[in-house]
Amino acid sequence: MKNWEIIDGEYTRKVMWINHEIEMKLYYNGEDEIDGEEVDESKVEEMVEKILGNKDYWDKKCKKLFADEFVDWFNEEKWVKPEYSEIYYETKSTDKVEKELLKIIGKEDTEKIMKNNLLTKEAFKKLLDNQDMGIIIDYCDGEEDSFFTIAMHEKLFFVDKMFYACCNFNGEIDEYYMD
């Protein structure tokens, strides 16, 4: 298939999207082993263009949903502390965690997180602006609707959470979940 290359056994296409280079992964009926003759390439490309054409909508919509899910969960789980973030594991210094947060979300929000373990949705959306997103296109043949999934990843804190928004080809989010 043109514009796609096989990386780690999966059809992958790298594109610039929302100021990030992201990888789009193509699946056919949920499988990564694809026979090019089975897939209607024009329909897949139509889906790609539809996603890329609505990037601002998906960016805002998915970030808002992820922020709602993650921030509510984070603020309820009192054991989650910034000291345990991935940066801390790499540097063994909470100072580095604080510096990284200051760069991304600013002084006021960083102080709230470091002192009170409170994360606001606005601050989290700023964190997401610094993160890459992946797009998985699952092309279904038959009665099922084709759909695509936009995935966002947050690992600045101790937790390693992925958010998935599953969308139909009409451009509507059918379901979303955090894993």
Side-chain angles (χ1 to χ4, degrees):
M1 296 177 63
K2 64 181 181 187
N3 300 326
W4 297 80
E5 59 180 312
I6 297 177
I7 299 176
D8 296 328
E10 296 175 311
Y11 274 88
T12 304
R13 179 170 166 186
K14 293 186 178 180
V15 293
M16 288 300 297
W17 200 63
I18 315 173
N19 299 322
H20 292 295
E21 183 183 75
I22 62 154
E23 288 189 353
M24 305 179 97
K25 302 279 186 188
L26 175 63
Y27 291 84
Y28 177 67
N29 289 335
E31 300 292 329
D32 60 6
E33 289 184 20
I34 299 169
D35 180 353
E37 293 177 9
E38 292 178 319
V39 176
D40 183 340
E41 197 170 325
S42 64
K43 285 193 176 182
V44 173
E45 290 304 316
E46 187 182 338
M47 290 178 75
V48 170
E49 294 306 315
K50 181 127 184 163
I51 296 166
L52 298 178
N54 288 313
K55 63 184 179 180
D56 293 333
Y57 170 76
W58 293 117
D59 182 36
K60 290 174 187 150
K61 181 83 170 177
C62 290
K63 280 181 184 173
K64 181 182 180 307
L65 292 172
F66 191 12
D68 288 345
E69 292 281 299
F70 186 88
V71 171
D72 289 346
W73 174 85
F74 181 90
N75 290 336
E76 286 172 13
E77 297 291 331
K78 299 300 179 195
W79 56 267
V80 178
K81 299 286 183 187
E83 296 87 23
Y84 302 132
S85 73
E86 185 172 292
I87 296 168
Y88 175 70
Y89 281 128
E90 291 172 3
T91 65
K92 305 297 182 212
S93 165
T94 55
D95 293 341
K96 300 275 179 146
V97 175
E98 194 167 0
K99 280 182 189 172
E100 190 66 25
L101 289 173
L102 279 168
K103 278 196 301 190
I104 299 171
I105 63 177
K107 189 173 191 299
E108 188 179 314
D109 286 313
T110 297
E111 284 177 355
K112 283 181 190 171
I113 295 167
M114 299 301 285
K115 289 180 183 170
N116 306 314
N117 194 41
L118 179 69
L119 177 64
T120 65
K121 289 172 185 171
E122 293 73 27
F124 187 67
K125 286 176 193 169
K126 288 180 191 172
L127 286 171
L128 290 178
D129 283 335
N130 289 271
Q131 304 257 344
D132 286 350
M133 281 177 279
I135 295 178
I136 299 162
I137 298 172
D138 199 336
Y139 175 65
C140 303
D141 191 19
E143 294 180 12
E144 297 176 70
D145 290 334
S146 294
F147 67 91
F148 52 89
T149 301
I150 295 178
M152 297 181 182
H153 196 199
E154 170 52 47
K155 58 182 183 176
L156 182 63
F157 299 103
F158 168 67
V159 293
D160 196 352
K161 289 285 181 185
M162 187 77 83
F163 174 81
Y164 300 92
C166 303
C167 319
N168 61 35
F169 197 41
N170 294 325
E172 302 158 336
I173 292 178
D174 283 340
E175 63 175 318
Y176 60 90
Y177 57 95
M178 189 171 71
D179 189 17

